[in-house]
Amino acid sequence: MADRPTRNLHVGAPYRADEARYIDTPYRRSGRTGLKLPAISLGLWQNFGDESPLATQRAILRTAFDHGVTHFDLANNYGPPPGSAEKNFGRIFAEDFRPYRDELIISTKAGYDMWPGPYGEWGSRKYLLASLDASLDRMGLDYVDIFYSHRFDPDTPLEETMGALDTAVRSGRALYAGISSYSPERTREAAAIMRELGTPLAIHQPSYSMFNRWIEAGLTEACADEGLGIIAFSPLAQGLLTNKYLGGVPDDSRAARGGSFSPSLVTQDVVDRLKALAGVAESRGQTLAQLALSWALRDERVTSVLIGARTVGQLDDSLGALDRLDFSDDELAEIDRHAVEAGLNIWARSSDA
């Protein structure tokens, strides 16, 4: 699949989507909804702010869609600076993707710090709906396909937060509602509230990777019981589960740049485990990143995994995971020996509430 030539990298030329884009891409239904997502979706958390060349962003988005990646995931605070990923995406959407709007799933979220004052974060009705309106304006859209509560707010009644999601859908500003980083208990509570309101939750977006397996302790089961799909973010552990870190922390890595990924997390034990997992990947004819994505998709309850990409080459490598989604029992047992918690869940506070 990823070896198919991409002919839309001349970003100055008018864009025409590849006619073969749906031939090889698998899609999975999100829970008990009619919504299908590509097994691999593109997240714009990193690399789509003002620090990244717009031409590179455009090439990545074009390549993704040309390979059947119909889902682009954003949030109000993605950048840097906050809001710039939505603004940049909106510009590219207007110039390249508007004719394909009905083929796209575009999502955004609200929950983290976005503007000053008491109404610029968390889960109040005031914040969520104001943020959604601002996101639509930045992207130049009439609606998003999925609108998420980005994190659980312990100080706002859950009924208020879910009521805002219900309003977003009923007003036509969103087609589906979702939650992110909610605990199993809060997921069940939120799903019950939304069912009573008549707008069932469609999807949950938790962090999940070989080194961050918290959803296996109840959340996967809760989502299945409540009819929610799961779309896993950070399945490559912010790039750790790639060949890049097999020799430690390279100078051009995300860990070296700081921010959300501390270099202190790349311990010798982690490097040893990475090397062991890379050996499993090699035996399967995969890169370590491809193994990590295939592994996260091994459970059909995981609707999709969200990848980031700094280059078209990184995107192509990740899409190659779709060529090998099967696992033997021996392979899974060997992976389980090395795929252990590594202290990477920086979103645990929300899911512990």
Side-chain angles (χ1 to χ4, degrees):
M1 172 186 171
D3 292 333
R4 192 171 72 237
T6 300
R7 54 175 178 73
N8 280 304
L9 296 186
H10 299 293
V11 295
Y15 174 66
R16 182 167 57 86
D18 193 323
E19 294 178 358
R21 60 190 176 277
Y22 294 119
I23 290 178
D24 299 319
T25 304
Y27 296 85
R28 295 181 177 185
R29 191 174 301 278
S30 181
R32 289 197 292 267
T33 73
L35 177 65
K36 289 185 177 181
L37 298 179
I40 292 179
S41 300
L42 181 63
L44 278 64
W45 174 27
Q46 308 277 353
N47 308 315
F48 286 84
D50 288 346
E51 296 179 351
S52 301
L54 195 67
T56 301
Q57 298 179 35
R58 189 187 303 272
I60 292 170
L61 288 164
R62 286 182 175 189
T63 302
F65 189 56
D66 282 346
H67 286 82
V69 177
T70 55
H71 178 29
F72 300 145
D73 178 76
L74 299 104
N76 59 354
N77 63 333
Y78 287 178
S84 60
E86 289 183 330
K87 186 178 296 184
N88 291 333
F89 173 77
R91 176 177 172 182
I92 297 170
F93 171 83
E95 296 174 358
D96 287 357
F97 294 105
R98 190 171 296 281
Y100 305 99
R101 178 64 182 98
D102 291 340
E103 299 182 43
L104 292 173
I105 300 298
I106 301 170
S107 61
T108 195
K109 302 178 281 292
Y112 286 93
D113 188 25
M114 187 60 191
W115 61 79
Y119 320 119
E121 62 177 329
W122 293 106
S124 71
R125 181 180 183 86
K126 166 74 172 175
Y127 168 63
L128 290 177
L129 294 178
S131 178
L132 176 55
D133 288 340
S135 291
L136 293 174
D137 184 64
R138 281 189 291 269
M139 291 188 284
L141 299 176
D142 296 324
Y143 68 94
V144 291
D145 297 274
I146 307 171
F147 181 52
Y148 289 91
S149 166
H150 206 167
R151 60 172 168 171
F152 174 73
D153 181 352
D155 297 321
T156 296
L158 193 54
E159 290 81 2
E160 179 177 339
T161 301
M162 294 302 104
L165 296 183
D166 175 66
T167 295
V169 173
R170 291 185 182 276
S171 67
R173 287 123 96 185
L175 301 185
Y176 297 92
I179 55 177
S180 180
S181 298
Y182 278 49
S183 69
E185 178 184 3
R186 298 302 184 186
T187 296
R188 292 182 186 277
E189 292 176 6
I193 294 168
M194 291 297 279
R195 274 197 305 272
E196 186 173 346
L197 290 171
T199 305
L201 286 174
I203 196 163
H204 190 301
Q205 187 177 133
S207 60
Y208 181 52
S209 73
M210 286 178 168
F211 287 163
N212 177 19
R213 301 180 62 167
W214 74 276
I215 72 170
E216 296 172 9
L219 182 61
T220 306
E221 181 180 359
C223 288
D225 290 346
E226 302 296 339
L228 280 68
I230 295 173
I231 181 167
F233 75 87
S234 201
L236 299 181
Q238 300 194 63
L240 179 59
L241 286 162
T242 66
N243 293 341
K244 179 180 293 187
Y245 290 91
L246 295 179
V249 180
D251 292 339
D252 63 344
S253 66
R254 187 180 299 182
R257 297 194 301 270
S260 60
F261 186 12
S262 169
S264 65
L265 297 173
V266 189
T267 64
Q268 186 58 52
D269 178 66
V270 165
V271 171
D272 290 343
R273 294 182 183 280
L274 287 173
K275 290 178 178 178
L277 292 168
V280 177
E282 184 176 8
S283 70
R284 288 169 48 85
Q286 292 183 305
T287 65
L288 178 54
Q290 290 168 350
L291 174 73
L293 296 173
S294 299
W295 177 88
L297 288 165
R298 74 198 186 285
D299 188 332
E300 287 291 332
R301 293 174 294 184
V302 176
T303 308
S304 183
V305 293
L306 275 168
I307 62 167
R310 190 166 56 174
T311 66
V312 169
Q314 287 181 354
L315 173 64
D316 281 339
D317 181 72
S318 292
L319 293 176
L322 299 176
D323 295 333
R324 185 73 195 277
L325 294 177
D326 61 300
F327 285 91
S328 70
D329 290 342
D330 288 343
E331 287 174 332
L332 291 174
E334 179 65 14
I335 289 169
D336 279 341
R337 290 181 55 205
H338 309 289
V340 299
E341 291 295 331
L344 301 178
N345 188 4
I346 61 176
W347 308 273
R349 179 174 297 181
S350 178
S351 53
D352 286 344

